[in-house]
């Protein structure tokens, strides 16, 4: 009797261990190269608009792939999809490391890495739901969430130290560690039969093309790319309205509160991601800090604060309500950006404090956006709606990185706009911080007005 109980328990624990490894490294792969973007730009003599594609390329396929794997999990074996993702991720890592001296190969490798790594967040939760007993799922989700937060936190520090002591190209090899999970997952995960179902490949292609052309527009600001992107999205909208099983359910577009939560949340998440990608350039240009100092001293404390603020935000939402916590989160981010804009050349360690409160505000905001979106959905819409929120969040981060890279390159904001006496090299970054304040303030105001109006009508 003891044996029959202990064997399944041991199996569940082993599955959870390897899922944690995958979750940790998938997030680490997002953050680890961020601090090296200025070094990459210098090595290839590229502007930030091009260099930021090292992260944008990953986030692009990562976001689309997350939605894609989620759809495929209903039709194909989870085991095969997960192993495929691990293999592709490692393959992209090796290609990137071997060909890191050629910029097109580096970008191509990041596309491949994102395609493989997307399987982890999309499928790990499905595996937990299928393999972990119901009474232990809460602990499992909590453990995985903590490791994801830890991966976001230590990623910049690890990236900065390795890039400073060795070379940024070695960071590309970090995801290959996930290959150790393959033999264990083959043994532990059950064989599943293939399920029948329709897959909207045309919808995926149209949506992906629209996103790619829009990101190309943010890099080069060529109107032709923007026009192609708009045309492709219009065709995509027409397609999903008539498709039998569309990639994105058009009925969700009629849910006003859901759409406001997704769109305004996306603007905020994209703004913070753009800020994070801008900081290494700013620290190099204004303070001439090393890559290791930027990763460990500037970014690391802020990213680790997510763990604490995330818990506080969850407690406050239950006690004070969503709008209260959202307002605090926006206030933390806005005030931090404003302080950084006005005192940008005071001391580099001011940016460490700014990072802590920006990520603290982001934690509050993420908690609220998830709560608002979830509460706006009917039970039958919950799965598709939350998947779309995750997809939009990842995509917004990639878009934010691309847009900030483009703005840093065309230097449209490289002029004195604030009554501050700073070095000319700081003007651009100070004005960018003001732009960030405007975007998140407008997003907050729109969410507040719509949320209150809809609640008043209910």
């Amino acid at each position: 009797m003891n044996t029959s109980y202990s064997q399944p328990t041991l199996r569940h624990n082993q599955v959870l261990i390897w899922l944690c490894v995958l979750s940790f490294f998938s997030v680490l792969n997002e953050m680890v190269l961020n601090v090296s973007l200025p070094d990459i730009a210098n090595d290839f003599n590229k502007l930030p608009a091009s260099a930021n594609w090292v992260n944008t390329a990953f986030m692009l396929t990562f976001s689309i792939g997350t939605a894609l794997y989620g759809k495929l999990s209903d039709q194909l074996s989870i085991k095969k999809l997960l192993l495929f993702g691990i293999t592709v991720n490692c393959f992209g890592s090796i290609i990137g490391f071997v060909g890191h001296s050629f910029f097109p190969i580096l970008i191509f490798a990041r596309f491949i890495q994102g395609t493989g790594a997307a399987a982890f967040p999309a499928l790990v939760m499905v595996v937990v739901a299928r393999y972990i007993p119901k009474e232990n799922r809460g602990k499992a989700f909590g453990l995985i969430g903590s490791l994801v937060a830890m991966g976001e936190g230590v990623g910049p520090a690890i990236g900065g130290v390795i890039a400073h002591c060795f070379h940024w190209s070695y960071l590309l090899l970090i995801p290959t560690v996930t290959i150790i999970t393959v033999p264990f997952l083959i043994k532990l995960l059950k064989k599943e039969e293939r399920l029948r179902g329709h897959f909207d490949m045309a919808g995926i292609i149209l949506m992906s093309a629209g996103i790619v052309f829009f990101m190309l527009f943010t890099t080069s600001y060529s109107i032709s790319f923007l026009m192609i992107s708009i045309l492709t999205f219009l065709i995509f909208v027409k397609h999903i309205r008539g498709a039998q099983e569309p990639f994105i359910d058009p009925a969700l577009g009629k849910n006003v509160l859901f759409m406001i939560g997704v769109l305004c949340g996306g603007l905020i998440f994209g703004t913070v991601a753009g800020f994070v990608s801008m900081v290494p350039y700013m620290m190099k240009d204004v303070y001439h800090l090393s890559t290791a100092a930027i990763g460990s001293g500037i970014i690391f404390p802020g990213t680790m604060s997510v763990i604490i603020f995330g818990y506080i935000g969850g407690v406050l939402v239950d006690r004070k309500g969503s709008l209260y916590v959202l307002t605090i989160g926006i206030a933390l981010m806005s005030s931090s950006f404003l302080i950084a804009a006005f005192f940008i050349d005071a001391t580099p360690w001011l940016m460490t404090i700014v990072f802590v409160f920006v990520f603290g505000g982001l934690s509050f905001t993420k908690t609220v956006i998830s709560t608002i979106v979830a509460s706006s959905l009917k039970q039958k819409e919950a799965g598709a709606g939350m998947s779309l929120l995750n997809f939009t969040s990842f995509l917004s981060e990639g878009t934010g990185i691309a847009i900030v890279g483009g703005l840093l390159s065309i230097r449209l904001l490289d002029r004195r706009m604030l009554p501050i006496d700073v070095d000319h090299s700081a003007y651009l970054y100070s004005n960018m911080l003001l732009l960030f304040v405007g975007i998140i303030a407008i997003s907050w105001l729109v969410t507040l007005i719509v949320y209150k109006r809809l609640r008043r009508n209910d």
Side-chain angles (χ1 to χ4, degrees), residues 71-299:
K71 288 282 186 180
L72 286 173
S73 65
D74 294 329
Q75 302 173 29
L76 301 176
S77 165
I78 298 293
K79 181 178 182 177
K80 290 181 179 179
L81 288 174
L82 205 51
L83 295 176
F84 173 80
I86 295 170
T87 304
V88 171
N89 189 30
C90 293
F91 182 62
S93 300
I94 294 172
I95 289 178
F97 179 74
V98 173
H100 72 270
S101 56
F102 300 96
F103 192 71
I105 294 179
L106 175 62
I107 299 301
F108 177 66
R110 290 292 280 171
F111 271 116
I112 297 176
Q113 276 189 322
T115 302
F120 306 155
L123 301 176
V124 161
M125 297 306 178
V126 179
V127 175
V128 170
R130 293 187 184 181
Y131 284 84
I132 304 300
K134 192 173 182 179
E135 62 271 16
N136 294 329
R137 285 176 195 165
K139 294 179 181 178
F141 285 131
L143 179 59
I144 291 172
S146 298
L147 284 170
V148 166
M150 186 181 296
E152 291 178 339
V154 302
I158 293 174
V161 171
I162 293 177
H164 180 73
C165 297
F166 302 98
H167 190 259
W168 58 261
S169 60
Y170 287 94
L171 301 174
L172 295 163
L173 289 177
I174 289 178
T176 58
V177 175
T178 58
I179 200 71
I180 65 174
T181 66
V182 170
F184 299 99
L185 293 176
I186 290 175
K187 179 182 178 181
L188 295 170
L189 298 184
K190 300 173 184 176
K191 185 177 180 180
E192 301 171 2
E193 293 184 7
R194 180 172 177 172
L195 304 176
R196 293 183 179 182
H198 175 74
F199 191 71
D200 185 16
M201 183 57 71
I204 292 216
I205 293 173
L206 286 170
M207 184 189 68
S208 302
I211 293 169
V212 170
F213 279 109
F214 178 75
M215 288 190 172
L216 288 173
F217 163 72
T218 64
T219 301
S220 63
Y221 288 93
S222 170
I223 297 299
S224 59
F225 284 138
L226 179 61
M227 297 303 295
I228 294 173
S229 175
I230 293 173
L231 179 61
T232 307
F233 275 122
L234 290 174
I235 297 172
F236 170 71
V237 171
K238 183 178 180 181
H239 166 78
I240 62 174
R241 286 180 176 177
Q244 182 181 359
E245 295 181 29
F247 181 62
I248 294 177
D249 186 0
L252 291 172
K254 300 176 183 178
N255 187 330
V256 178
L257 187 57
F258 170 81
M259 292 303 298
I260 288 298
V262 168
L263 294 176
C264 290
L267 282 173
I268 296 170
F269 303 156
T271 299
V272 175
F275 164 70
V276 174
S277 71
M278 183 189 79
V279 166
Y281 294 105
M282 182 170 65
M283 292 295 101
K284 290 273 188 180
D285 290 347
V286 178
Y287 297 107
H288 311 291
L289 293 185
S290 68
T291 304
I294 297 170
S296 302
I298 305 297
I299 302 179

Side-chain angles (χ1 to χ4, degrees), residues 331-378:
L332 286 173
M333 288 188 284
S334 299
S335 58
S336 298
F337 287 147
L338 282 173
I339 290 171
F342 279 94
F343 301 97
I344 191 165
D345 66 342
T347 170
W349 310 121
L350 173 65
M351 196 57 61
T352 303
I353 301 172
V354 166
F355 248 92
V356 169
F357 288 104
V358 166
F359 273 86
L362 179 65
S363 293
F364 282 12
T365 304
K366 280 188 173 182
T367 302
V368 172
I369 293 297
S370 297
T371 303
I372 290 176
V373 169
S375 64
S376 70
L377 297 168
K378 299 176 182 176

Side-chain angles (χ1 to χ4, degrees), residues 52-65:
N52 277 19
W53 267 89
V54 171
N55 272 2
T56 298
F58 178 88
M59 292 304 300
L60 179 61
T61 51
F62 186 79
S63 59
I64 296 172

